[in-house]
Amino acid sequence: MQERLKELQGEALEKVSAAMDLKELNDIRVAYLGKKGPITEVLKGMGKLSAEERPKMGALANEVRDQITQGITAKQVQLEEAQIQAKLAAETIDVTLPGRPVHTGNHHSLTRVVEEIEDLFIGMGYTVAEGPEVEKDYYNFEALNLPKGHPARDMQDSFYITEDILLRTHTSPVQARTMEKHEGKGPVKIICPGKVFRRDNDDATHSHQFMQIEGLVIDENIRMTDLKGTLEVFAKKMFGEEREIRLRPSFFPFTEPSVEMDISCMICSGEGCNVCKKTGWIEILGAGMVHPNVLEMAGFDSKKYTGFAFGMGAERIAMLKYGVDDIRHFYTNDSRFLKQFSIHE
Ligand code: FA5
């Protein structure tokens, strides 16, 4: 019996040491230490032993059990440790691998141009004024010396919502609203960026929705030379110090006299090319001295106050600045176009 117990101990510990995983180890434990295991089987024969031998054999059986249990516990710790190490090895993070790039958004090229123009004028003492995109006919036309039925209204085909409300066709109504708020007291010095809408057919240079930036200065003794000097500073800062400007007579009902401003072509420097249609000049904005009727309608004394105003299309400025050949690129959201203006690349 003694020999058999020792034999079982050796056999069990050998299997324990060869066990490959925790399941196999558990099977060994159940097989050798379980109620139906060989040790229990051997102990059933204890009844045949003498009273002297019985406790000795009992002690030996317990010792064999303890040895096997200890062997299993030690092996279990070993296998669990190996399992953790294998898991760690499989999940190793290679910190030298390059990270996945995070795609960050960007200000739209038009927003950037508008902000650049705003900053430029803020630097000259202007403040930014805004007005509603859904506008009253009164501010969009009448207060700007364009009474109902005036033929010049046709210059700006409009989206009407009711007979008296429309989507503003230009940013000039912000002038009218701001002047009204000033209640006849100067100075006024504002720059007004915003969306405007016209029933124009979309093509390479026209859009039914576009951005305008309006400027207005009203004070005593404001002269045409102030307008010219201001626009010259703007043109040089925006398109380069070597740019020249020229003013051509034009017509707007809300300014008198009215002009259109051209800048010397930045592509050919005035030699003549396709961009300037061989003239050497590119038209960029409309401007003029605020019409006395407009001043009076807003409550300003036109004998005391004079002023100038100008208005430009922001897309036009952006197209010239960045060499964009079609206005529709600004609105079709092709990421290949938008990415070219990314400050992150
Ligand atoms: C005006 O809208 C006047 N309110 C500008 C002004 C303000 C004159 C203050 C005098 C004093 P005009 O209709 O020319 O003017 O438009 C101004 C600019 O808007 C144009 O030079 C052009 O760059 C842009 N523009 C006009 N129509 C479109 C269009 N459909 N798509 C894109 N840009 C346009």
Side-chain angles (χ1 to χ4, degrees):
M1 187 175 276
Q2 190 174 348
E3 270 164 31
R4 178 69 187 134
L5 283 172
K6 281 287 176 195
E7 204 178 280
L8 282 171
Q9 177 181 332
E11 196 183 292
L13 289 178
E14 216 168 277
K15 283 191 181 164
V16 165
S17 120
M20 299 295 283
D21 56 40
L22 291 167
K23 184 185 176 304
E24 197 180 335
L25 193 64
N26 193 46
D27 290 347
I28 297 168
R29 189 177 59 76
V30 173
Y32 282 89
L33 304 178
K35 279 189 186 133
K36 290 178 188 155
I39 296 176
T40 316
E41 208 53 43
V42 173
L43 292 179
K44 277 184 191 160
M46 292 252 282
K48 293 181 196 139
L49 296 176
S50 64
E52 236 172 65
E53 270 178 324
R54 226 178 279 155
K56 281 188 200 157
M57 209 46 69
L60 179 65
N62 283 340
E63 194 194 315
V64 167
R65 266 214 190 90
D66 287 349
Q67 290 292 329
I68 296 173
T69 308
Q70 272 172 31
I72 288 174
T73 309
K75 184 73 182 182
Q76 187 173 346
V77 170
Q78 202 184 331
L79 285 175
E80 278 172 356
E81 179 63 20
Q83 206 174 42
I84 289 168
Q85 289 307 330
K87 200 170 174 208
L88 283 177
E91 289 175 1
T92 301
I93 296 166
D94 182 352
V95 289
T96 63
L97 278 176
R100 288 195 192 95
V102 178
H103 295 289
T104 43
N106 209 14
H107 275 165
H108 194 277
S109 48
L110 260 183
T111 310
R112 298 249 288 275
V113 166
V114 171
E115 283 177 354
E116 194 178 334
I117 297 172
E118 277 174 20
D119 286 350
L120 207 156
F121 281 99
I122 288 169
M124 292 196 267
Y126 288 65
T127 51
V128 176
E130 285 180 339
E133 288 166 13
V134 179
E135 185 54 283
K136 289 185 175 152
D137 181 278
Y138 175 77
Y139 290 111
N140 195 79
F141 289 128
E142 281 182 54
L144 296 169
N145 206 25
L146 272 145
K148 284 210 163 70
H150 192 292
R153 284 190 177 213
D154 289 348
M155 287 163 75
Q156 302 176 3
D157 269 348
S158 321
F159 289 111
Y160 273 93
I161 290 167
T162 68
E163 210 168 297
D164 286 317
I165 295 176
L166 74 164
L167 298 182
R168 66 179 177 193
T169 56
H170 52 175
T171 39
S172 301
V174 187
Q175 288 189 27
R177 284 177 173 275
T178 310
M179 280 194 270
E180 204 176 75
K181 273 194 212 129
H182 273 255
E183 295 179 337
K185 284 189 209 72
V188 179
K189 209 170 174 186
I190 52 163
I191 187 97
C192 332
K195 288 194 200 91
V196 301
F197 310 83
R198 290 188 193 177
R199 280 196 302 123
D200 280 343
N201 288 329
D202 291 1
D203 61 24
T205 52
H206 293 86
S207 175
H208 59 280
Q209 179 200 303
F210 57 101
M211 290 283 294
Q212 276 194 346
I213 303 173
E214 187 93 5
L216 172 74
V217 174
I218 295 174
D219 206 347
E220 294 177 32
N221 298 319
I222 297 291
R223 289 183 292 248
M224 190 84 179
T225 44
D226 297 314
L227 170 64
K228 190 175 177 206
T230 304
L231 294 180
E232 194 159 9
V233 169
F234 162 72
K236 286 182 187 292
K237 289 265 187 263
M238 214 52 203
F239 295 105
E241 283 302 319
E242 63 286 6
R243 293 279 71 70
E244 286 174 33
I245 67 162
R246 80 173 181 189
L247 302 181
R248 280 182 292 104
S250 184
F251 171 75
F252 297 102
F254 29 93
T255 47
E256 180 58 37
S258 301
V259 292
E260 271 176 328
M261 182 177 93
D262 299 336
I263 55 169
S264 54
C265 179
M266 64 284 278
I267 309 293
C268 64
S269 297
E271 294 290 311
C273 68
N274 284 342
V275 173
C276 61
K277 300 193 186 88
K278 310 273 184 227
T279 62
W281 295 95
I282 298 173
E283 183 217 310
I284 62 164
L285 54 81
M289 300 305 290
V290 181
H291 197 293
N293 288 355
V294 174
L295 287 169
E296 295 287 342
M297 261 188 281
F300 278 82
D301 179 353
S302 64
K303 300 233 169 23
K304 185 176 173 198
Y305 286 107
T306 48
F308 67 73
F310 56 88
M312 65 189 101
E315 289 82 357
R316 183 99 210 241
I317 305 291
M319 285 168 86
L320 291 169
K321 201 169 161 66
Y322 296 123
V324 177
D325 60 1
D326 195 319
I327 194 170
R328 288 168 288 201
H329 287 313
F330 292 114
Y331 293 107
T332 39
N333 286 335
D334 184 334
S335 60
R336 289 168 303 178
F337 172 75
L338 298 173
K339 270 189 196 151
Q340 292 178 63
F341 303 93
S342 172
I343 47 169
H344 303 295
E345 283 166 20

